[in-house]
Amino acid sequence: MNKIIIVNDNLEKINVNENINVEYYQKECLFAINEIKLNIKKDSELEIEIKIKDDTKLNFNISLEENVKLNLNILTNGNIGKIQYKYNLEKNSYCNVFKFQKINSIKEMIIVKLDGENANIDYNFKTISCNKETYDYHIFHKAKNTISNIKNNGVCNKDGLIIYQVSSFVPKDITGCIVNQNNRIINLTNNKCEIMPNLYIDTSDVAASHSALIGKFSDEEMFYIQSRGIDYNSALKLLISGFLTSDINDKKMLKEITKNIEKYWR
């Protein structure tokens, strides 16, 4: 698989084939931010690993050309970060994102532009939060018959706090779109998490939905597992594992998620 490793805001390692063009722009003044631009020219699989040791700021710009499919896995761990991701999808392109992170604190902005007809993104995000994490999504359907499926699953542990703000936009005369948001936070703390799902739709020819749930696992779920002879802590761990590993097929990502679950729920 093609792979890129980032340490703090520096591009540490690039191992990609000719189907992916990588450009790296280093900041030239105190207040500038390093930027990584990726242009996907043909069907590809890509892994991005981000290791944050210091307080880090970084921008990604990921563009898919027409008729291109990208399977993208993103693993992030470390200290404190502010990261912006921009996804630009042209006609008939498809981006399938699986993302997991375990980080002390982070603020992210995710911008998706579905620029060409039939552009499609599936975005699956998992996190274990032990401090404040903020995610601000902006999904723009700029062409007909575009599809966005945004799924966020987070577990708050210790001092964890998650804020999701997800905004989807479909302007007038952009028809045949499918817009889905699915946001869920399992909050095992007394902190106040937030989910703000927004659908800004100015056309009637669209299929749109959103769901938002904050809370613990239900008593019925816990009772069902415990009735099979499983103790409370093991039942909780089992439910967390299912919640965070659902839809994840990549072995390395599954291993990373499982390792972090074992760390906090022995």
Side-chain angles (χ1 to χ4, degrees):
M1 180 185 289
N2 300 294
K3 186 170 183 178
I4 295 172
I5 297 176
I6 294 110
V7 178
N8 294 331
D9 58 357
N10 296 311
L11 188 54
E12 192 81 0
K13 182 179 179 180
I14 306 174
N15 183 15
V16 299
N17 60 27
E18 66 279 1
N19 297 335
I20 301 174
N21 184 59
V22 181
E23 297 180 19
Y24 177 52
Y25 299 91
Q26 286 188 296
K27 54 190 176 185
E28 297 180 353
C29 63
L30 179 63
F31 299 105
I33 299 174
N34 286 3
E35 182 175 18
I36 297 171
K37 289 187 176 182
L38 305 174
N39 185 48
I40 315 301
K41 296 180 285 185
K42 293 184 179 180
D43 292 359
S44 300
E45 294 187 357
L46 173 63
E47 178 184 318
I48 299 176
E49 185 174 350
I50 304 171
K51 303 174 184 179
I52 298 178
K53 299 177 181 179
D54 304 315
D55 190 352
T56 294
K57 297 179 181 179
L58 185 63
N59 288 343
F60 283 93
N61 196 319
I62 302 169
S63 298
L64 278 66
E65 295 186 3
E66 291 186 5
N67 305 304
V68 165
K69 177 180 179 180
L70 173 65
N71 288 317
L72 175 62
N73 294 332
I74 304 174
L75 288 168
T76 308
N77 62 74
N79 197 12
I80 300 171
K82 292 182 179 179
I83 302 178
Q84 177 177 273
Y85 294 89
K86 290 183 180 179
Y87 297 88
N88 307 286
L89 280 68
E90 295 298 334
K91 184 178 180 180
N92 297 321
S93 63
Y94 172 58
C95 188
N96 188 28
V97 181
F98 289 101
K99 181 177 176 183
F100 172 72
Q101 58 195 29
K102 173 61 192 73
I103 193 166
N104 289 342
S105 180
I106 195 162
K107 185 174 183 180
E108 282 192 6
M109 176 174 283
I110 301 96
I111 300 170
V112 178
K113 294 183 179 180
L114 302 170
D115 291 322
E117 287 191 21
N118 303 309
N120 180 353
I121 186 166
D122 284 326
Y123 189 99
N124 291 277
F125 172 61
K126 320 285 185 177
T127 184
I128 298 174
S129 172
C130 293
N131 210 315
K132 186 174 182 180
E133 300 183 13
T134 302
Y135 303 93
D136 190 3
Y137 292 79
H138 299 266
I139 301 99
F140 298 96
H141 290 255
K142 303 179 72 176
K144 296 179 180 179
N145 303 316
T146 48
I147 301 172
S148 62
N149 295 302
I150 309 298
K151 184 176 182 180
N152 295 307
N153 286 359
V155 177
C156 288
N157 190 40
K158 295 186 176 181
D159 293 322
L161 191 159
I162 298 174
I163 299 173
Y164 292 134
Q165 178 164 295
V166 187
S167 300
S168 302
F169 301 85
V170 185
K172 187 177 179 181
D173 299 326
I174 301 299
T175 58
C177 298
I178 298 174
V179 184
N180 293 317
Q181 300 178 15
N182 187 325
N183 306 289
R184 188 177 181 189
I185 300 170
I186 300 299
N187 189 4
L188 305 178
T189 77
N190 293 319
N191 293 330
K192 184 180 179 181
C193 298
E194 294 182 64
I195 299 175
M196 292 164 277
N198 303 301
L199 296 173
Y200 299 98
I201 296 174
D202 196 23
T203 181
S204 58
D205 184 10
V206 63
S209 68
H210 68 72
S211 64
L213 187 150
I214 302 174
K216 296 178 172 60
F217 294 111
S218 70
D219 292 339
E220 290 79 7
E221 290 173 302
M222 294 297 296
F223 176 78
Y224 178 83
I225 298 177
Q226 288 179 273
S227 69
R228 268 59 184 171
I230 300 173
D231 64 82
Y232 177 88
N233 288 334
S234 297
L236 178 62
K237 179 180 176 181
L238 188 62
L239 286 170
I240 289 171
S241 180
F243 179 67
L244 290 178
T245 60
S246 63
D247 306 316
I248 302 294
N249 297 317
D250 181 73
K251 290 182 179 179
K252 181 175 181 179
M253 187 167 290
L254 282 170
K255 183 178 179 180
E256 187 70 19
I257 295 173
T258 301
K259 181 180 75 175
N260 279 277
I261 292 172
E262 293 288 341
K263 178 181 177 181
Y264 292 107
W265 295 279
R266 297 182 182 277

